[in-house]
Amino acid sequence: MRITTKVLTLDSILYDETIENATFENFNYQPDSNEKAARGQAGRLAERYLNGEVFNSLFSGEPGSGKSHLAMAILKVLNSKCKEPVSCLFISFEEVLSLIRDSFNNSESKYTELNMVDLMGSVDYLVLDDVGSESGRLKKADNSQTYATDFTIKILKRTLERRQNKSTIVTTNLSRREMEILYDKRITSRIYRNITGNVIKFENIKDKRISG
């Protein structure tokens, strides 16, 4: 693994490349709005991380509401302001699963299951972005239930097990109940470990990816 602060820029895996430039300063919000409140909550989480607290955070809500932006903004603060250099990593969960699958038929790929679980498990601060999107809509068209594949569950489980004494930020469009259905209660309980007070709900916020 790369040493400390270079990890964020060199090893992160982004689905939306615009997130690379996300900061608290360029997060647009309206006065007296839910998005302003979410920005304030995220800023307070960043301060607690800077003070050395170890805990998981969960950003939940509709797509395009700014969850990924503020998660990256927290990593930028930690990368630049921690007293000692730290390693921060932003991972689009759907993208990393795709890269790991592709490595099965590519012996030259660096994105092997072993390498990626080791990387995600070892960094000081990890954002797992858009957890749940890899399985599409929670319910299929015929109304039958959708479940995560064994492969997805294995990657998520191994990563979270490696991070039991580290700080992880998870962004998702799913509720806790939906997450328990998609994965299982053991994985969900790891995500929600010490989560009280560390949940930001992105509700009633206009989709920031739609202009106008």
Side-chain angles (χ1 to χ4, degrees):
M1 190 189 80
R2 303 182 198 275
I3 301 299
T4 63
T5 57
K6 293 184 179 180
V7 172
L8 184 61
T9 55
L10 297 179
D11 294 321
S12 291
I13 298 173
L14 310 178
Y15 174 76
D16 179 358
E17 294 295 333
T18 64
I19 295 300
E20 184 176 2
N21 299 315
T23 65
F24 281 111
E25 289 72 24
N26 62 25
F27 182 77
N28 295 321
Y29 59 88
Q30 297 297 319
D32 301 319
S33 63
N34 289 342
E35 54 194 353
K36 181 181 179 180
R39 183 188 184 279
Q41 288 177 279
R44 289 188 287 276
L45 292 178
E47 288 297 326
R48 290 174 58 197
Y49 285 133
L50 282 174
N51 289 332
E53 291 188 53
V54 177
F55 58 90
N56 288 349
S57 299
L58 183 75
F59 295 2
S60 66
E62 293 300 313
S65 55
K67 301 185 298 296
S68 302
H69 186 121
L70 289 177
M72 175 61 89
I74 289 176
L75 294 188
K76 292 279 187 68
V77 168
L78 297 174
N79 218 37
S80 63
K81 294 187 177 181
C82 278
K83 294 179 181 178
E84 299 292 333
V86 294
S87 54
C88 299
L89 184 70
F90 187 104
I91 294 289
S92 166
F93 190 55
E94 183 175 8
E95 285 296 294
V96 78
L97 292 177
S98 178
L99 289 169
I100 293 172
R101 288 192 189 94
D102 288 344
S103 76
F104 296 161
N105 299 313
N106 179 5
S107 60
E108 301 298 319
S109 175
K110 66 178 181 180
Y111 299 108
T112 65
E113 179 178 335
L114 179 63
N115 287 346
M116 296 314 300
V117 170
D118 181 62
L119 176 63
M120 292 187 293
S122 61
V123 293
D124 297 308
Y125 299 96
L126 173 69
V127 168
L128 283 177
D129 188 48
D130 217 4
V131 171
S133 64
E134 78 286 347
S135 296
R137 294 180 61 83
L138 192 60
K139 284 189 176 293
K140 298 177 181 177
D142 62 1
N143 208 38
S144 62
Q145 197 66 63
T146 297
Y147 298 97
T149 64
D150 290 340
F151 166 74
T152 298
I153 289 174
K154 180 174 69 170
I155 299 299
L156 190 54
K157 181 174 181 289
R158 290 182 63 197
T159 299
L160 293 173
E161 284 178 344
R162 292 279 301 274
R163 301 196 58 76
Q164 292 191 59
N165 297 311
K166 298 185 178 184
S167 298
T168 305
I169 300 171
V170 173
T171 81
T172 184
N173 301 330
L174 304 180
S175 67
R176 179 166 186 163
R177 175 58 180 156
E178 289 171 331
M179 199 175 289
E180 288 176 347
I181 293 170
L182 185 60
Y183 305 115
D184 61 40
K185 290 187 177 181
R186 290 175 299 176
I187 286 179
T188 305
S189 68
R190 287 186 174 92
I191 292 174
Y192 277 79
R193 176 180 61 88
N194 299 327
I195 206 76
T196 303
N198 311 325
V199 177
I200 302 179
K201 294 185 178 181
F202 290 71
E203 299 174 330
N204 302 315
I205 296 175
K206 182 181 177 180
D207 190 335
K208 292 179 174 298
R209 293 176 298 197
I210 299 176
S211 60

mmCIF file of all heavy atoms in Angstrom, residues 17 87 125 152 192:
data_model
loop_
_atom_site.group_PDB
_atom_site.id
_atom_site.type_symbol
_atom_site.label_atom_id
_atom_site.label_comp_id
_atom_site.label_asym_id
_atom_site.label_seq_id
_atom_site.Cartn_x
_atom_site.Cartn_y
_atom_site.Cartn_z
ATOM 1 N N GLU A 17 -16.230 11.255 -11.758
ATOM 2 C CA GLU A 17 -14.931 11.907 -11.647
ATOM 3 C C GLU A 17 -15.022 13.318 -11.069
ATOM 4 O O GLU A 17 -14.028 13.850 -10.558
ATOM 5 C CB GLU A 17 -14.248 11.959 -13.024
ATOM 6 C CG GLU A 17 -13.876 10.580 -13.585
ATOM 7 C CD GLU A 17 -12.832 9.864 -12.749
ATOM 8 O OE1 GLU A 17 -12.037 10.551 -12.073
ATOM 9 O OE2 GLU A 17 -12.813 8.620 -12.750
ATOM 10 N N SER A 87 -3.864 7.853 5.844
ATOM 11 C CA SER A 87 -4.266 7.344 4.534
ATOM 12 C C SER A 87 -5.781 7.386 4.429
ATOM 13 O O SER A 87 -6.494 6.857 5.280
ATOM 14 C CB SER A 87 -3.751 5.918 4.325
ATOM 15 O OG SER A 87 -4.148 5.072 5.388
ATOM 16 N N TYR A 125 -8.870 5.893 6.899
ATOM 17 C CA TYR A 125 -10.238 6.356 6.679
ATOM 18 C C TYR A 125 -10.714 5.897 5.305
ATOM 19 O O TYR A 125 -10.042 6.129 4.300
ATOM 20 C CB TYR A 125 -10.326 7.886 6.763
ATOM 21 C CG TYR A 125 -9.923 8.430 8.106
ATOM 22 C CD1 TYR A 125 -8.624 8.887 8.332
ATOM 23 C CD2 TYR A 125 -10.836 8.487 9.161
ATOM 24 C CE1 TYR A 125 -8.238 9.375 9.577
ATOM 25 C CE2 TYR A 125 -10.455 8.980 10.413
ATOM 26 C CZ TYR A 125 -9.160 9.411 10.609
ATOM 27 O OH TYR A 125 -8.788 9.894 11.839
ATOM 28 N N THR A 152 -20.533 -10.337 -3.778
ATOM 29 C CA THR A 152 -20.662 -8.999 -3.191
ATOM 30 C C THR A 152 -20.607 -9.059 -1.676
ATOM 31 O O THR A 152 -19.900 -8.270 -1.029
ATOM 32 C CB THR A 152 -21.980 -8.352 -3.642
ATOM 33 O OG1 THR A 152 -21.985 -8.209 -5.058
ATOM 34 C CG2 THR A 152 -22.168 -6.989 -2.989
ATOM 35 N N TYR A 192 -23.494 -0.368 10.902
ATOM 36 C CA TYR A 192 -24.144 0.488 11.897
ATOM 37 C C TYR A 192 -23.441 0.452 13.257
ATOM 38 O O TYR A 192 -23.962 0.986 14.231
ATOM 39 C CB TYR A 192 -25.604 0.072 12.066
ATOM 40 C CG TYR A 192 -26.526 0.675 11.027
ATOM 41 C CD1 TYR A 192 -26.597 0.139 9.745
ATOM 42 C CD2 TYR A 192 -27.318 1.794 11.309
ATOM 43 C CE1 TYR A 192 -27.430 0.683 8.785
ATOM 44 C CE2 TYR A 192 -28.152 2.343 10.360
ATOM 45 C CZ TYR A 192 -28.207 1.780 9.097
ATOM 46 O OH TYR A 192 -29.031 2.329 8.144
#
